[in-house]
């Protein structure tokens, strides 16, 4: 698995969660890096979660022939050349949410592998700290945060 992020802290966390390699788009072209890391093939699977147009385009450009990409991030404008997409036989789809069946499969996957999902949460706040929390959320430089009673 190759993780891509602008935040070095998040890239380090991705490595601790099992990423084989990380790419920071501020330092190198994502598609070139993915091709280099896959021996020139490109990624078989891609999930774009940022909602950033440049990130979404990099995801498409990183896909291998017959590659499949899923766009989860909200807000990206994606443009592609159908001739290139058809020749590469790409499958592109979006997902807004999962059905309850898929949520159960996801939860089972996490449980069976004892994945440390709690480690995704790096910060907690009380409701009285909402202003600080939302300021931190807007920076998007670390893990996830949660409000706790």
């Amino acid at each position: 698995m190759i993780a891509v992020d602008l935040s070095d802290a998040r890239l380090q966390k991705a490595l601790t969660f099992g990423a084989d390699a990380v790419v920071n788009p501020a330092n190198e072209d994502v598609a070139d890096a993915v091709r280099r890391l896959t021996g020139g093939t490109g990624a078989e699977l891609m999930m774009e979660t940022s909602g950033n147009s440049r990130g979404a385009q990099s995801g498409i450009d990183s896909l291998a022939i017959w590659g499949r990409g899923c766009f989860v991030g909200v807000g990206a404008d994606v443009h592609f050349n159908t001739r290139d997409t058809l020749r590469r036989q790409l499958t592109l789809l979006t997902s807004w949410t999962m059905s309850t069946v898929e949520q159960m499969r996801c939860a089972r996957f996490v449980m069976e592998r004892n994945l440390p999902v709690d480690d995704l949460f790096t910060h907690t706040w009380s409701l009285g700290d909402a202003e600080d929390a939302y300021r931190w959320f807007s920076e998007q430089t670390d893990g996830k945060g949660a409000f706790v009673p």
Side-chain angles (χ1 to χ4, degrees):
M1 177 180 64
I2 302 167
V4 179
D5 202 295
L6 288 167
S7 165
D8 288 331
R10 286 185 180 184
L11 291 173
Q12 287 304 309
K13 189 155 291 276
L15 290 169
T16 66
F17 277 111
D20 299 304
V22 296
V23 176
N24 186 327
N27 302 330
E28 58 186 321
D29 180 79
V30 173
D32 289 344
V34 169
R35 278 192 289 281
R36 176 179 46 79
L37 291 164
T38 59
T41 304
E44 293 179 29
L45 303 170
M46 176 276 296
M47 181 184 305
E48 200 294 315
T49 62
S50 72
N52 176 279
S53 297
R54 187 168 158 210
Q57 187 64 56
S58 292
I60 292 173
D61 295 344
S62 299
L63 285 170
I65 294 173
W66 293 99
R68 295 177 290 156
C70 182
F71 299 87
V72 180
V74 177
D77 289 323
V78 180
H79 305 276
F80 55 89
N81 177 302
T82 55
R83 184 178 306 141
D84 177 56
T85 305
L86 289 169
R87 286 185 180 151
R88 291 171 52 208
Q89 294 293 309
L90 300 181
T91 300
L92 305 175
L93 59 123
T94 62
S95 180
W96 183 256
T97 188
M98 289 186 280
S99 67
T100 55
V101 172
E102 288 301 315
Q103 289 176 22
M104 283 299 296
R105 285 180 62 196
C106 184
R108 200 171 299 117
F109 181 90
V110 168
M111 297 289 289
E112 289 170 354
R113 288 158 181 81
N114 198 30
L115 298 178
V117 293
D118 288 345
D119 293 346
L120 288 171
F121 294 91
T122 57
H123 294 71
T124 58
W125 297 271
S126 67
L127 287 178
D129 299 322
E131 186 175 338
D132 291 336
Y134 282 105
R135 191 174 6 265
W136 179 84
F137 286 134
S138 71
E139 293 174 9
Q140 298 183 9
T141 58
D142 205 349
K144 300 294 180 187
F147 287 105
V148 294

